[in-house]
Amino acid sequence: MPSYISDARLNSYEAAFCGATAGVVSRFFTAPFDVVKIRMQLQPHRTQFQLKHANLNDIKYTRILPALKTILKEEGIKGLYKGNLAAEYLYLLYNALEFCAYREIELAIDKLDSQKQLPSSAKTFASGMLAGSAATTITYPLDLLRTRFAMQGSHDQQYTGMVQAIKLIYRTEGISGFYWGVWPALIQIMPYMGLVFTTYDRIASTFKAGRDNGTLSKDHKPFHDMVSGALSGIVSKTAVYPMDVVRKRLQVQGPSRTHYVIDGIPDYATRSCFKCMKLIAEQEGVSSLYKGLTVSLVKVAPAISLTFFVYEKTKNTIIDWKS
């Protein structure tokens, strides 16, 4: 039996279209927070869980609103959308692939589990995990481009456009340069997307049960979907966030420090993702593995919320149109 996310009335292409629409809309509204998060992640200062113990004079991006103001003042409105073109392509393709793959994988698992022995949450987690892994692997070069564009300031423009960036990375790093940091990404995305889909499905299904028995108003379904998405995003992102920090550090450095170096960041290029994590914890403090977490949660809550909200609205529109 399909989960709350899937619907037997949608085919794979329609699920992909719903996912693509959701990804584009979500990305547009959350892009500035993504730029701030990346800038915070790439700062090499030592942190404590409470910034009051750190020397704030040495930290350029300390909190969300001041960081947004700083970027806006120094780089203009375009600074808040650096890397957004690559990111829009990324989110469009990623969400299309993910929701399409999720539907197919869920159906395949359902057929294999003909005796219905697996818990529904286990099926949802496995479907989300595998769908997220497939989508991440295929779209990873766009994610790397998005990161490198977003981390550029106003005076260190190494990448000036999509085509120029692709040519430069290919010339200086080869094909493998487009996949630098892919292993931390996959290690992060597997539990992350598994948790996102499982948590969303459980919360949304609870809301649905309330609507079905009359406890909750059916008119509030869009709000229920948005709350379910926001909560699933917060829980999932917090659980896997350290791997996201490692991934960003590897993406920026590339295969060697001679390619692109941010002053003060240690050389992670020859280390595994777990050794990178250990190095960050040793040199910058354990809490540095959570640099940018607050802004990430401020971004991910509305991002996942909007993604599932737009997905559900698009899904319902297609179903109504077909009926």
Side-chain angles (χ1 to χ4, degrees):
M1 178 180 178
S3 64
Y4 179 87
I5 302 163
S6 301
D7 195 299
R9 294 169 291 180
L10 286 183
N11 61 38
S12 298
Y13 298 109
E14 290 164 342
F17 176 77
C18 294
T21 303
V24 170
V25 173
S26 172
R27 170 63 198 183
F28 178 79
F29 286 103
T30 60
F33 294 108
D34 197 42
V35 172
V36 171
K37 182 198 73 170
I38 290 172
R39 298 285 179 92
M40 286 182 171
Q41 286 179 328
L42 297 179
Q43 291 181 137
H45 63 275
R46 186 174 183 86
T47 68
Q48 289 78 25
F49 279 106
Q50 294 183 340
L51 277 173
K52 65 182 181 180
H53 295 305
N55 186 354
L56 298 182
N57 294 325
D58 297 333
I59 307 173
K60 186 172 184 179
Y61 307 111
T62 57
R63 305 193 192 284
I64 300 171
L65 289 180
L68 287 170
K69 290 179 180 179
T70 298
I71 296 172
L72 191 61
K73 180 180 178 181
E74 295 181 352
E75 305 168 44
I77 190 68
K78 289 183 178 180
L80 297 175
Y81 282 88
K82 280 187 174 177
N84 192 52
L85 181 60
E88 287 289 3
Y89 290 135
L90 167 65
Y91 276 61
L92 186 153
L93 182 58
Y94 182 91
N95 280 273
L97 289 170
E98 184 175 54
F99 280 97
C100 177
Y102 178 87
R103 179 185 181 279
E104 293 301 314
I105 293 169
E106 186 181 49
L107 290 174
I109 293 176
D110 244 6
K111 288 181 180 179
L112 291 174
D113 185 35
S114 57
Q115 303 299 318
K116 308 299 178 186
Q117 295 179 338
L118 286 175
S120 60
S121 57
K123 295 179 185 179
T124 305
F125 184 89
S127 300
M129 178 183 72
L130 294 174
S133 299
T136 297
T137 301
I138 295 171
T139 62
Y140 190 79
L142 290 171
D143 186 31
L144 182 135
L145 285 168
R146 180 271 303 260
T147 298
R148 294 200 181 180
F149 275 115
M151 50 74 64
Q152 293 186 132
S154 56
H155 304 297
D156 53 358
Q157 298 279 341
Q158 183 173 16
Y159 304 112
T160 57
M162 284 282 289
V163 175
Q164 181 268 346
I166 291 171
K167 289 180 178 178
L168 179 60
I169 293 172
Y170 179 74
R171 185 173 69 250
T172 58
E173 304 173 47
I175 291 294
S176 61
F178 293 102
Y179 286 90
W180 198 251
V182 70
W183 289 115
L186 289 174
I187 292 171
Q188 172 201 3
I189 208 67
M190 290 172 73
Y192 176 64
M193 291 316 305
L195 284 170
V196 164
F197 278 94
T198 303
T199 308
Y200 176 80
D201 184 64
R202 298 305 299 172
I203 298 173
S205 295
T206 301
F207 277 124
K208 182 179 183 298
R211 292 193 300 270
D212 290 343
N213 62 29
T215 305
L216 299 173
S217 172
K218 293 184 178 181
D219 295 336
H220 296 157
K221 180 183 181 298
F223 175 73
H224 298 159
D225 291 335
M226 293 185 73
V227 171
S228 300
L231 292 176
S232 68
I234 290 171
V235 171
S236 306
K237 177 59 72 174
T238 302
V240 302
Y241 193 76
M243 290 307 303
D244 193 40
V245 174
V246 171
R247 175 167 61 103
K248 290 295 188 296
R249 295 288 181 94
L250 289 173
Q251 284 180 336
V252 168
Q253 285 197 335
S256 69
R257 286 178 58 81
T258 58
H259 168 63
Y260 194 99
V261 179
I262 294 179
D263 292 339
I265 294 185
D267 182 7
Y268 303 116
T270 60
R271 296 173 170 84
S272 69
C273 56
F274 291 109
K275 287 183 178 178
C276 288
M277 188 181 296
K278 181 181 179 182
L279 185 63
I280 293 171
E282 289 176 348
Q283 298 197 1
E284 302 173 37
V286 174
S287 60
S288 292
L289 293 170
Y290 291 89
K291 281 179 178 177
L293 175 61
T294 301
V295 68
S296 184
L297 293 181
V298 169
K299 175 212 166 189
V300 80
I304 300 296
S305 178
L306 274 172
T307 296
F308 280 110
F309 170 74
V310 176
Y311 178 83
E312 294 291 342
K313 293 292 286 185
T314 310
K315 180 176 77 174
N316 292 337
T317 300
I318 292 175
I319 291 172
D320 290 342
W321 179 74
K322 291 173 68 176
S323 60

